[in-house]
Amino acid sequence: MPRVLSLHTEVSGDGAFPVILLHGLFGSASNLMAVARSLAADYKVIRMDLRNHGKSPHSDIMDIPTMAEDVLATMDTLGVQQAHILGHSLGGKVAMQVAVTAPDRVSRLVVADIAPVRYGRGHDEIITALLGMDLRALRSREQADNLLQKAVPELAIRQFLLKNIVRDGKDAWAWRMNLPVIADCYDNLRDAPSAEPFTGPTLFIRGELSKYIRDENRVPMQRQFSQMALLTIAGAGHWLHAEYPQIFNAMVADFLAADNAQV
């Protein structure tokens, strides 16, 4: 398996200039469908599955810089020289790393509810619960949902996580994501992107009720992204693009539209 992977992509839209969408931890390209639909009339929308997620290849290597290299290599494969990039959560970290690694490849950057800082271990209970599920004994998604209820009481989050369970034969189930490697490499995914500055236009969007972008994060954000703006969606949590899609999509569209005359 090569160190840098060509990622699975889903392409839509009627526009010429590309927008790349990157999902968060345990997610896939399907998580950003509402954003993709909102941009489809004006852009070529490219949704990517990050390595070890969705339909993209699996690898024992998993860290933010390598995942950014995957995105750049996939852009090369698609013949995309430059694009707007939007990432949510882990996808936001990868998007930031792409911008600081290859600033000439990123026209405008949108980061949804994540900051360029190292985070604590906030997913240990979920990872332990997922690893503890015996998929060989699983008979239905309803059973899987019941097994997760104690560790993950929120129905919407359980439904999101269980999208990763797929049929493996007539009566068997399997993880679509590479769960063991994600668990083993979790510390790498908590890291901040490289500290190199990106001087291109950057929009951070946070949820008012989320703890991922705090006021004290403004200093590292401004240091690394000098042309940044920060918008807050009132009442939203970490899944702001799903909780308030119309507001989120309007913020993204307005920010990207500032470049329309140039592209």
Side-chain angles (χ1 to χ4, degrees):
M1 178 69 69
R3 180 175 180 273
V4 177
L5 306 179
S6 183
L7 302 176
H8 173 78
T9 61
E10 302 283 347
V11 181
S12 59
D14 301 320
F17 196 77
V19 179
I20 294 171
L21 307 182
L22 303 176
H23 62 82
L25 185 66
F26 307 127
S28 70
S30 64
N31 300 143
L32 297 171
M33 271 299 301
V35 185
R37 284 193 292 265
S38 74
L39 298 172
D42 300 308
Y43 301 95
K44 177 182 180 181
V45 183
I46 304 169
R47 291 176 291 123
M48 297 185 182
D49 284 337
L50 300 174
R51 67 168 52 203
N52 292 323
H53 289 78
K55 298 179 182 178
S56 281
H58 290 184
S59 171
D60 290 340
I61 301 171
M62 197 173 188
D63 55 58
I64 304 299
T66 305
M67 296 168 80
E69 290 180 32
D70 291 344
V71 173
L72 290 166
T74 305
M75 290 173 68
D76 291 341
T77 299
L78 297 174
V80 174
Q81 179 56 38
Q82 189 180 63
H84 302 315
I85 300 186
L86 180 155
H88 171 248
S89 199
L90 174 61
K93 282 194 173 184
V94 176
M96 287 187 277
Q97 187 66 53
V98 172
V100 300
T101 300
D104 58 317
R105 308 292 299 272
V106 180
S107 178
R108 285 180 169 251
L109 174 66
V110 181
V111 181
D113 212 55
I114 202 78
V117 299
R118 180 172 172 83
Y119 286 86
R121 295 187 63 92
H123 293 88
D124 283 345
E125 191 171 3
I126 288 177
I127 291 173
T128 299
L130 295 178
L131 288 172
M133 292 177 63
D134 183 3
L135 298 191
R136 295 169 299 179
L138 196 64
R139 293 294 174 261
S140 67
R141 289 186 183 276
E142 290 76 17
Q143 183 186 3
D145 183 72
N146 289 334
L147 291 172
L148 279 182
Q149 278 190 21
K150 183 176 180 180
V152 188
E154 302 88 350
L155 175 60
I157 297 178
R158 291 201 308 275
Q159 291 175 333
F160 162 73
L161 293 169
L162 292 176
K163 288 181 179 180
N164 286 289
I165 295 180
V166 294
R167 285 286 189 183
D168 183 21
K170 183 178 179 181
D171 298 316
W173 296 83
W175 291 111
R176 182 170 60 176
M177 61 180 170
N178 192 350
L179 180 59
V181 170
I182 292 174
D184 287 344
C185 296
Y186 180 53
D187 279 342
N188 296 338
L189 306 182
R190 295 164 49 220
D191 280 343
S194 164
E196 296 298 320
F198 175 67
T199 59
T202 303
L203 174 64
F204 287 89
I205 307 175
R206 66 177 176 179
E208 178 190 24
L209 305 181
S210 174
K211 298 180 180 179
Y212 278 85
I213 297 183
R214 301 174 182 269
D215 288 341
E216 56 263 34
N217 297 146
R218 286 177 180 265
V219 172
M221 290 162 63
Q222 290 172 337
R223 182 170 58 240
Q224 197 164 349
F225 301 95
S226 57
Q227 289 195 57
M228 64 149 281
L230 173 62
L231 298 178
T232 302
I233 298 180
H238 185 55
W239 303 96
L240 63 179
H241 60 90
E243 296 168 10
Y244 292 89
Q246 290 183 323
I247 296 173
F248 180 86
N249 295 345
M251 288 177 172
V252 172
D254 289 346
F255 175 70
L256 299 184
D259 258 9
N260 277 354
Q262 303 175 31
V263 300

